[in-house]
Amino acid sequence: MDLTASTENGVVSVGRRERYVLLEPLRAVAALMVLGYHVYLRSGPDPENTWDAARLLNMGVPIFFVLSGFLLYRPFAAARLEGRPRPDIGRYAKRRFFRIVPGYWVALTVFALVIPTWVDVLHRDAWIYYGLAQTWVPGHTFEGLSPAWSLSVEVAFYLLLPLYALVLHRALGGRPARTQLVVEVGILCAAAVFCLLARRFLFGLGEGPTGFLAWSLLGHLDWFAAGMALALATIVWSGGKDRPRPVRLVEQYPGTCWALAVAVFLLLGFIVGSPGDILHVAGVVIALLLVAPAVFGDQTAGRARNLLSLPVMVGLGAISYGIFLWNEPIAVWLQSVGAHDWGFVEGTPVLLFLTVVLTVLAAVISYFLVERPMMAYSRRGNR
């Protein structure tokens, strides 16, 4: 394998693999949004507010899902379009397992021992939580470590992706690239439409025998499909001379894309609705506006990209998984001990500050003691 690295246009290439250096900082943005959302919930939202954008901070989740769809699918799609062998499934599964599961198991067990009234998992249903099956079992979606419902969705996507890639490789492999792209874009669009219809149907069932499935992969497949479509777009158009005008605009004006994402987010503060309404679609629009400038164009150009490249953002990106895992129970614990009443400034600012400090500390410990060693172990023998 050619291990010569290049940094042309800000994309780090090692052989045929590419690493988009701004995506880790975007994970930090998503994780901090989720943290802010959980602090917001603990602070007693005012239902009388006519504008409340803070309740939309859970849109960090579609950012995570779009990133997963993009990063995990791109190697499979590139191999098929370039006529190369598919990525090794065993290696893929090993790396996904050790990236996600050990850190989650540690956080889940720690909170089950420290705050068992909030994280009650050490009983006969423990397999549901440790197996990340919450979104597939009625009545358990938000039990245990409640943000882990989205990890349950992620794991389902991890399992589905190689099968999807295998089917397309056998059905489309060897055909002209244009034919492959047309067919696959149609499939992804159909998957997104199916997902939206399924959400509307499932949420209409309320808490019935199947309504809980709206929180599973069935209700979020469109977010992953958007990331997969973005992966296809980068394979076809990154660095090419015949890029469509929208791609060129994203490359030239990344700050405008991110400003539009913020503007859409703020405007949505006036909309009150359920997870089955326009907010779901808006979430993926915001995610794409944030991610697209990080995968198209020179990743070292522009103030917006340089802001994401700051060492603090890169560092927070590295520990973003720990921030995601640890923030909500820490906020719950701080509220339970009355931390929001400490200091000269009471309420949400104090709770937010303390949650950030303790969460980052816990995430750093988790990264160096659990996540990083497990990621290193998962790579052994890969060369």
Side-chain angles (χ1 to χ4, degrees), residues 40-254:
Y40 164 81
L41 293 181
R42 304 274 76 79
S43 302
D46 184 359
E48 301 297 326
N49 286 343
T50 57
W51 180 83
D52 188 1
R55 65 184 174 80
L56 302 176
L57 288 170
N58 61 344
M59 286 187 176
V61 176
I63 298 174
F64 279 128
F65 286 2
V66 167
L67 287 173
S68 291
F70 175 84
L71 288 167
L72 297 182
Y73 184 55
R74 197 178 191 281
F76 289 100
R80 189 186 74 246
L81 289 168
E82 296 172 9
R84 296 185 283 109
R86 299 188 310 277
D88 183 80
I89 302 302
R91 182 183 301 176
Y92 162 85
K94 180 181 178 182
R95 296 188 70 172
R96 287 299 88 209
F97 178 87
F98 283 103
R99 181 65 187 98
I100 295 296
V101 174
Y104 167 67
W105 279 353
V106 169
L108 183 64
T109 304
V110 167
F111 287 122
L113 296 173
V114 174
I115 48 175
T117 55
W118 280 92
V119 184
D120 182 17
V121 299
L122 300 179
H123 45 68
R124 65 180 183 180
D125 289 336
W127 68 272
I128 296 174
Y129 308 107
Y130 283 91
L132 285 167
Q134 301 96 307
T135 57
W136 302 101
V137 182
H140 293 275
T141 302
F142 302 108
E143 301 296 323
L145 198 62
S146 60
W149 74 266
S150 61
L151 287 184
S152 177
V153 176
E154 286 264 13
V155 168
F157 175 71
Y158 296 164
L159 296 174
L160 176 64
L161 183 62
L163 178 61
Y164 171 85
L166 174 62
V167 171
L168 259 66
H169 194 93
R170 291 186 174 178
L172 300 177
R175 296 177 182 271
R178 181 179 180 84
T179 300
Q180 295 190 46
L181 289 170
V182 170
V183 172
E184 186 163 15
V185 168
I187 292 173
L188 293 176
C189 289
V193 172
F194 167 81
C195 176
L196 294 174
L197 293 175
R199 286 178 62 84
R200 179 57 59 188
F201 172 75
L202 292 170
F203 274 115
L205 298 177
E207 298 297 327
T210 57
F212 70 96
L213 289 173
W215 294 99
S216 71
L217 181 62
L218 293 175
H220 298 88
L221 187 58
D222 55 333
W223 290 352
F224 292 105
M228 295 166 69
L230 191 60
L232 291 173
T234 61
I235 294 169
V236 175
W237 291 319
S238 283
K241 296 181 179 180
D242 299 324
R243 302 185 306 283
R245 180 172 175 80
V247 172
R248 296 198 303 271
L249 290 175
V250 169
E251 292 175 345
Q252 296 170 9
Y253 305 105

Side-chain angles (χ1 to χ4, degrees), residues 332-346:
V332 168
W333 175 76
L334 286 170
Q335 184 191 40
S336 70
V337 298
H340 55 291
D341 294 326
W342 299 349
F344 298 102
V345 180
E346 298 180 356

